[in-house]
Amino acid sequence: TCGKSIKGSFLKTLPSDEFEYGTCGTGDLPIQKANGKLKSRFTEESFTKYLEDTKEKKFHGWLYLEDCFVMVFLTSVQHRMGIMGSVGEIGIHHGKFTLPLVMAADPQERVFASDLFETRDILNASMDGPGLIKKKVFMGHLNDYGLTEGDMVMVKSMDSVNLKPSFLKKEKFHAFRMFSVDGDHTHVMNSKDLLLACNIIAPGGMIILDDYVNPSYMGVASSLFDFLRREKNVEVFFLASNKAFLTTADYVSVYVKALTEFGFCTNERTKLVREEKIFHEETCTLDCCQEDLGIEGMTKLIREML
């Protein structure tokens, strides 16, 4: 009977009418077609501003800058391939990662962002400040970068347990090109968020999972391994400093090749986990130790892409 009680509890938390394994990249959200050449919202000026704001600790939050750079780089790879769609994040806090996620996107790509905000006050769980203040701070950061909540940007105060593909479809979101999971870090809730993301990304879309190696939140790691065991059409293709990047299985080689060619990847540190068949055989990890890369090299690379 080992595992039965956990499995039963886990399944009860999932709305089975809208979530299922084995459908990653093949959900009901429509695929967005590119209209002309895709480009980033980022400009030289706004990218410099983000770097300066981060250096001055304007954004409260936890983020390795190299993980942000990898996301921006992979966005450009998707755009060059003609892959586009909505972008989103569960668990935005003050927007330290959400902002570059949005700014790297094409202006035609809609944005969905959610956090508990006011709900944290109701639950008396506002460890990082009252939700209303937190939302005001996030919206202020959006405004600083020329973005407002409206047709292209939706900011929702909600628990992700209530977020379903049908809601996003009703709100006319396209299949997601990139979706960040940084919400509740428990095994059950993170499993639900991963499964949601899997059901709403486009073919070649990416799921970005935060804190996959954080020992304070082992539920994230356990839910990731459980998710990979159940879902056969998605793979981890890149392990950054604190974020794991997943995509549909048929795009793993494409993204690993792009990362390797630009010096982001090394395969040495993932050799053992690949041999244990935990991750895809081509999965690679971030290599910021190279003399010609590092933070300065990555900054230069991103500037050249803008």
Side-chain angles (χ1 to χ4, degrees):
T1 62
C2 185
K4 281 188 176 180
S5 60
I6 296 177
K7 183 178 180 182
S9 173
F10 172 71
L11 291 177
K12 287 178 183 178
T13 67
L14 300 179
S16 58
D17 57 328
E18 290 204 38
F19 293 89
E20 58 181 312
Y21 289 97
T23 60
C24 197
T26 61
D28 291 335
L29 298 186
I31 303 298
Q32 187 170 6
K33 299 288 180 68
N35 182 16
K37 183 179 179 181
L38 299 175
K39 60 181 180 180
S40 169
R41 285 187 178 93
F42 262 136
T43 62
E44 174 74 22
E45 182 180 2
S46 61
F47 182 66
T48 299
K49 173 178 168 56
Y50 177 75
L51 293 177
E52 292 175 349
D53 286 347
T54 301
K55 186 176 181 180
E56 294 172 5
K57 299 182 178 180
K58 182 175 180 179
F59 312 111
H60 181 259
W62 308 267
L63 176 68
Y64 289 95
L65 200 54
E66 53 265 38
D67 290 3
C68 170
F69 288 167
V70 169
M71 178 274 296
V72 176
F73 172 76
L74 287 170
T75 294
S76 73
V77 172
Q78 289 179 311
H79 282 170
R80 288 199 303 270
M81 295 171 62
I83 299 174
M84 73 177 304
S86 304
V87 296
E89 181 170 38
I90 292 172
I92 59 180
H93 191 51
H94 288 179
K96 193 170 187 177
F97 186 70
T98 316
L99 274 169
L101 181 69
V102 174
M103 293 300 291
D106 184 274
Q108 303 173 73
E109 296 178 306
R110 290 189 69 201
V111 177
F112 176 83
S114 73
D115 206 300
L116 289 174
F117 293 133
E118 301 96 320
T119 313
R120 292 187 71 87
D121 300 332
I122 296 171
L123 297 175
N124 194 29
S126 51
M127 295 173 61
D128 45 24
L132 285 171
I133 295 175
K134 183 176 166 183
K135 185 173 183 179
K136 185 178 180 180
V137 170
F138 173 70
M139 297 308 298
H141 291 331
L142 274 184
N143 295 161
D144 286 346
Y145 285 81
L147 297 168
T148 57
E149 189 174 7
D151 291 341
M152 297 307 294
V153 180
M154 176 182 284
V155 181
K156 293 291 289 183
S157 302
M158 68 185 304
D159 189 327
S160 65
V161 74
N162 299 316
L163 181 58
K164 301 177 182 179
S166 58
F167 168 80
L168 296 168
K169 187 174 183 179
K170 180 181 178 182
E171 295 294 333
K172 302 189 184 308
F173 279 92
H174 289 95
F176 282 72
R177 175 181 55 74
M178 197 171 274
F179 196 86
S180 171
V181 174
D182 191 9
D184 190 311
H185 280 26
T186 61
H187 178 98
V188 169
M189 284 305 301
N190 204 72
S191 296
K192 185 270 174 189
D193 290 345
L194 281 171
L195 190 53
L196 166 72
C198 196
N199 278 262
I200 62 175
I201 63 170
M206 297 181 191
I207 302 170
I208 304 173
L209 177 64
D210 186 64
D211 277 332
Y212 77 99
V213 289
N214 191 328
S216 298
Y217 302 107
M218 294 306 293
V220 176
S222 64
S223 65
L224 173 62
F225 296 141
D226 186 51
F227 174 73
L228 293 173
R229 180 177 61 83
R230 295 166 181 260
E231 175 55 61
K232 302 304 182 183
N233 194 40
V234 68
E235 298 276 4
V236 173
F237 69 93
F238 187 65
L239 300 170
S241 295
N242 198 43
K243 294 184 183 290
F245 289 73
L246 299 79
T247 190
T248 50
D250 50 343
Y251 279 81
V252 169
S253 297
V254 177
Y255 294 141
V256 169
K257 180 180 179 182
L259 288 162
T260 304
E261 287 178 350
F262 277 86
F264 282 103
C265 261
T266 177
N267 284 311
E268 290 305 313
R269 285 179 290 173
T270 49
K271 183 178 180 181
L272 289 178
V273 293
R274 288 203 317 277
E275 288 178 349
E276 292 294 330
K277 298 183 179 179
I278 297 174
F279 298 135
H280 191 275
E281 61 181 10
E282 294 182 77
T283 300
C284 62
T285 54
L286 180 66
D287 186 359
C288 279
C289 302
Q290 298 183 52
E291 187 176 335
D292 59 343
L293 193 59
I295 293 297
E296 290 186 7
M298 295 175 82
T299 303
K300 182 175 182 294
L301 174 63
I302 300 300
R303 288 189 188 282
E304 292 173 352
M305 288 163 40
L306 297 177

